[in-house]
Amino acid sequence: LDDLSSDDDRISIEFDLGSKKYDYPHLLAEHFPNLVAASSAYRAAAYFGLYTVDFDELHKADRRRLKVQKGVDVNGRNNIFTLQPAQFWDAELCQRALGYGRDEVIKRLTGKVPLVKPLMDGVYVVFNDNPDLTFEEFCAYNDRLKPVLGLA
């Protein structure tokens, strides 16, 4: 297969956070990283509604510029464009997308996010664990933390 994220296996689990029967911060801190480790993922993301679609639409020109002007492959295996509420990146993805390893990710994000920790050979980050996250808050932490990581 080509080295494209569209060729990856996927697992999708959906929760109705509106029911309040889930402890969302605990789910992200404890259960989600266990699923990542159990599946030996190279990357994983906890999405929040359609915020990614809306964020990508707002930044369509940036994605195009990265692809055309800078030759950045925006397929997901070689870059990180949107910071989801929680994400895992293995060692190879850290190097491909960021140019440095998990220890540097941990150093840059410690004290700036609810949780950042080593997981397998990579890093697990909870960027936001608010079950009532607004789209504006989603955009705000992306705008604030992408530069911390050196992302365009």
Side-chain angles (χ1 to χ4, degrees), residues 90-143:
D90 75 356
E92 185 175 355
L93 182 55
C94 285
Q95 285 299 321
R96 284 180 169 190
L98 302 169
Y100 52 84
R102 77 171 180 195
D103 293 340
E104 182 66 18
V105 174
I106 292 168
K107 179 179 161 189
R108 290 180 184 212
L109 293 178
T110 296
K112 295 177 178 79
V113 296
L115 176 67
V116 58
K117 67 179 184 177
L119 181 62
M120 299 184 299
D121 71 344
V123 62
Y124 179 70
V125 183
V126 176
F127 288 98
N128 193 301
D129 60 2
N130 177 6
D132 298 314
L133 179 69
T134 66
F135 180 64
E136 290 75 20
E137 291 167 330
F138 180 87
C139 292
Y141 81 71
N142 266 275
D143 292 343

Side-chain angles (χ1 to χ4, degrees), residues 7 22 30 34 37 45 48 75 93 96 113 136 145-148:
D7 291 333
Y22 299 105
E30 298 297 327
N34 290 337
F48 200 92
N75 78 43
L93 182 55
R96 284 180 169 190
V113 296
E136 290 75 20
L145 295 171
K146 285 175 69 173
V148 170

Side-chain angles (χ1 to χ4, degrees), residues 11-17 22 27 47:
I11 299 171
S12 178
I13 302 169
E14 294 185 26
F15 296 93
D16 177 8
L17 296 177
Y22 299 105
L27 187 128
Y47 295 95

Side-chain angles (χ1 to χ4, degrees), residues 12-69:
S12 178
I13 302 169
E14 294 185 26
F15 296 93
D16 177 8
L17 296 177
S19 74
K20 302 293 182 197
K21 80 179 196 182
Y22 299 105
D23 179 349
Y24 186 61
H26 183 72
L27 187 128
L28 292 181
E30 298 297 327
H31 299 294
F32 190 60
N34 290 337
L35 288 170
V36 171
S39 63
S40 299
Y42 78 90
R43 72 178 181 141
Y47 295 95
F48 200 92
L50 296 176
Y51 288 0
T52 299
V53 174
D54 295 338
F55 185 83
D56 286 354
E57 186 64 29
L58 278 177
H59 298 282
K60 190 185 305 186
D62 293 333
R63 288 177 66 90
R64 190 175 305 113
R65 179 184 52 78
L66 285 171
K67 187 172 185 177
V68 174
Q69 294 176 355

